[in-house]
């Protein structure tokens, strides 16, 4: 998620014509959750993929994706309806669906750790598919 999140994050902020305090707080919120992922990853590795660290890892991924969606919504709300950002983002279905998958993987880690990992890997693969909507609107 992080590579594409960073890619989309850069393009969203570049396409925005209005950046205010709400956008800055939403951005800090995203960066906070992203900063916790290395801790969860390390704890998961140190405990040989025990269910609780794997669940925490999923919770960190879920909160990061939720924070990204909040930033996206705040940026859309602060920019004009005909701005490239608002037109490009439109109805974002991919982000909320992938966030729900992260959330569903958290209890799955207590059923079987590898089921949770299958979800994490699947969502990561879907995040790696680039979202070129913003890029397309910026070229026009």
């Amino acid at each position: 998620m992080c590579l594409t999140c960073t890619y989309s994050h850069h393009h969203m902020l570049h396409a925005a014509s209005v950046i205010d305090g709400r956008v800055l707080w939403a951005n800090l919120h995203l960066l906070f959750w992203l900063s916790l992922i290395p801790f969860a990853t390390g704890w998961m590795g140190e405990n040989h993929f025990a269910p609780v660290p794997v669940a925490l890892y999923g919770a960190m991924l879920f909160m990061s994706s939720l924070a990204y969606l909040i930033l996206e919504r705040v940026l859309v709300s602060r920019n004009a309806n005909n701005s490239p950002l608002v037109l490009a983002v439109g109805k974002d279905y991919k982000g909320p669906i992938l966030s729900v998958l992260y959330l569903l993987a958290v209890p799955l880690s207590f059923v079987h750790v590898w089921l949770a990992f299958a979800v994490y890997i699947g969502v990561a693969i879907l995040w790696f598919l680039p979202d070129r909507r913003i890029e397309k609107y910026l070229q026009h």
Side-chain angles (χ1 to χ4, degrees), residues 27-72:
N27 190 48
L28 283 173
H29 180 239
L30 171 63
L31 294 175
F32 168 75
W33 287 109
L34 289 175
S35 73
L36 295 177
I37 291 175
F39 164 75
T41 305
W43 191 38
M44 195 171 49
E46 289 172 4
N47 290 288
H48 307 288
F49 307 108
V52 172
V54 172
L56 178 70
Y57 178 73
M60 295 297 110
L61 293 175
F62 169 71
M63 292 305 296
S64 296
S65 67
L66 186 63
Y68 178 82
L69 292 174
I70 291 170
L71 175 62
E72 181 181 80

Side-chain angles (χ1 to χ4, degrees), residues 1-17 19 27 30-31 34 68 71 75 85 131 134-135 138:
M1 176 194 153
C2 294
L3 178 65
T4 302
C5 178
T6 303
Y7 171 79
S8 297
H9 176 263
H10 169 78
H11 279 89
M12 273 198 322
L13 291 175
H14 181 71
S17 57
I19 302 289
N27 190 48
L30 171 63
L31 294 175
L34 289 175
Y68 178 82
L71 175 62
L75 279 168
L85 173 70
D131 187 353
I134 295 173
E135 211 173 76
L138 285 177

Side-chain angles (χ1 to χ4, degrees), residues 66-100:
L66 186 63
Y68 178 82
L69 292 174
I70 291 170
L71 175 62
E72 181 181 80
R73 289 290 105 206
V74 169
L75 279 168
V76 166
S77 74
R78 304 309 295 159
N79 287 271
N81 288 338
N82 61 349
S83 73
L85 173 70
V86 174
L87 295 172
V89 169
K91 295 282 186 195
D92 180 19
Y93 297 109
K94 180 180 172 183
I97 290 170
L98 297 181
S99 294
V100 168

